[in-house]
Amino acid sequence: MEPTFFSFTNKEKSSHQAIGAVGYRHAGNSFNGSLLHDFELLVLVICDEAAITDLRIEHCISGSIQYQMRYIGKENLKQWVVAGENREIVKCFLHGEVIWDVGGEVARLRNELTGFGDSMRERRKLKEFAGFLRTYVEAKQYAQEKDFMDAYYSVLQTLKHYARIELIDQGIVPESSVWDQLRSLNTVAYKLFDELADSKETLEQRIELVLLACEFFVMSRMEDCCSVLLRALRSRKEAWSIQELIALPEMAHVKEELPMVIRKLVYRSLVKQTTSLTGDRWGETREIRYWA
């Protein structure tokens, strides 16, 4: 990394509580326009703020190099790893070159994310399983309607979630190039992806084959993938309303998919339901509540 980038150290530390910076240069002769916006270098300035909610970006030039500088809070990176968001930015942080680091904070944060601890893995696995269920159901619906092109697309997304779960099981943070990460592992998801893409069977037959494998995955892995949710359900004697579950901090990253996941767990007898009387403007109703 060019020494000229050390020149913004003091400025960033004072103005944004920065603890360090990581630079990621795009490989090859072309730029990744979707991420770097035609800049050959992305500089991530890591800040000590809990999380940065507003987008802070600067476009700069140093000598002959034009670069984009983006400010990120430490908690942003942790949240993105758990939620599977901003995978390109996470990749840049994990694989970029540390330009400067105050007290080794950036190195410790990178080790924490690379280590992918149990709590982080469980939450990310639930997120990917929820995405798996959603796209799997979509694919089945499209296939039943003989809409095989849309079914193919949904199946492909389902396999990506499957692949990320396999990476998580290996203690690997899933990145944007999930198939490159899986290639050397020769996993079930990669074999299904290869079958879906290159088999001589008809498109309908390929989709049916993958959907059968996905159905087996749902039956065999649901309890494991939903362990953090099941533990929350067992954390008190009283049954939970769906709104109470959605409000839990550890469920924030799956709140949109949580109703679907809960109903699937009930269907598979991993979660039980009961009812309680409630009063509202429609009169007496019985609210469904959940326990495990």
Side-chain angles (χ1 to χ4, degrees):
M1 199 64 62
E2 283 72 6
T4 51
F5 290 117
F6 286 90
S7 61
F8 63 71
T9 302
N10 292 332
K11 169 191 169 187
E12 303 310 331
K13 284 169 60 179
S14 60
S15 60
H16 294 291
Q17 297 179 303
I19 60 171
V22 173
Y24 185 88
R25 190 185 303 278
H26 180 63
N29 298 320
S30 60
F31 301 142
N32 185 348
S34 63
L35 172 62
L36 302 182
H37 303 285
D38 293 327
F39 291 100
E40 60 186 289
L41 182 71
L42 173 67
V43 176
L44 300 175
V45 179
I46 315 303
C47 302
D48 202 21
E49 302 171 37
I52 296 178
T53 55
D54 57 321
L55 187 63
R56 299 180 187 174
I57 291 178
E58 294 179 13
H59 290 172
C60 310
I61 186 168
S62 179
S64 61
I65 297 178
Q66 301 180 59
Y67 61 97
Q68 178 166 268
M69 190 154 62
R70 177 165 179 168
Y71 303 90
I72 300 173
K74 292 191 298 184
E75 291 303 315
N76 290 119
L77 284 163
K78 294 177 184 178
Q79 291 167 7
W80 293 343
V81 168
V82 167
E85 299 172 349
N86 292 309
R87 287 187 289 271
E88 284 287 352
I89 298 293
V90 171
K91 173 184 175 181
C92 292
F93 175 74
L94 294 179
H95 300 294
E97 181 178 342
V98 177
I99 300 173
W100 54 273
D101 187 1
V102 177
E105 285 293 314
V106 170
R108 280 193 286 273
L109 178 60
R110 188 140 73 170
N111 287 337
E112 179 182 351
L113 297 185
T114 304
F116 210 26
D118 291 343
S119 175
M120 196 174 291
R121 279 203 304 270
E122 282 187 333
R123 294 174 66 191
R124 178 64 186 274
K125 190 183 290 188
L126 176 60
K127 177 67 176 180
E128 295 299 340
F129 186 74
F132 175 95
L133 275 182
R134 175 174 47 79
T135 54
Y136 166 66
V137 170
E138 287 176 355
K140 285 182 68 176
Q141 290 174 340
Y142 285 132
Q144 289 169 359
E145 295 165 1
K146 305 298 181 182
D147 185 354
F148 295 118
M149 291 304 294
D150 282 333
Y152 179 88
Y153 175 79
S154 293
V155 163
L156 184 58
Q157 300 309 307
T158 303
L159 287 180
K160 281 190 175 182
H161 290 297
Y162 193 157
R164 291 180 192 126
I165 291 171
E166 289 184 325
L167 287 170
I168 293 166
D169 286 338
Q170 297 287 329
I172 301 170
V173 178
E175 297 173 2
S176 55
S177 54
V178 63
W179 300 118
D180 287 340
Q181 288 182 285
L182 271 187
R183 185 172 287 112
S184 62
L185 299 178
N186 196 30
T187 64
V188 172
Y190 191 87
K191 291 176 182 176
L192 289 172
F193 170 70
D194 191 51
E195 184 73 19
L196 183 66
D198 295 331
S199 172
K200 294 180 181 179
E201 303 289 343
T202 67
L203 182 61
E204 180 179 1
Q205 290 171 329
R206 283 179 277 159
I207 290 170
E208 288 178 352
L209 174 65
V210 174
L211 287 176
L212 282 173
C214 289
E215 177 66 20
F216 177 76
F217 180 83
V218 170
M219 291 188 294
S220 61
R221 295 298 306 278
M222 178 175 282
E223 185 171 7
D224 170 54
C225 290
C226 297
S227 60
V228 64
L229 173 56
L230 292 170
R231 189 160 54 248
L233 285 163
R234 295 170 183 144
S235 65
R236 73 181 195 189
K237 293 181 179 179
E238 298 85 4
W240 296 77
S241 70
I242 187 63
Q243 188 57 44
E244 287 176 325
L245 290 169
I246 289 173
L248 289 172
E250 59 267 39
M251 296 295 118
H253 65 305
V254 290
K255 60 183 180 181
E256 296 295 332
E257 302 96 341
L258 197 57
M260 174 194 61
V261 175
I262 281 288
R263 295 310 302 171
K264 197 69 172 178
L265 286 166
V266 170
Y267 179 73
R268 296 291 180 184
S269 300
L270 291 171
V271 167
K272 299 175 178 62
Q273 68 179 42
T274 187
T275 58
S276 62
L277 281 174
T278 62
D280 57 24
R281 64 193 181 96
W282 304 107
E284 284 191 352
T285 60
R286 302 188 69 85
E287 181 185 37
I288 298 175
R289 301 177 74 89
Y290 303 98
W291 57 284

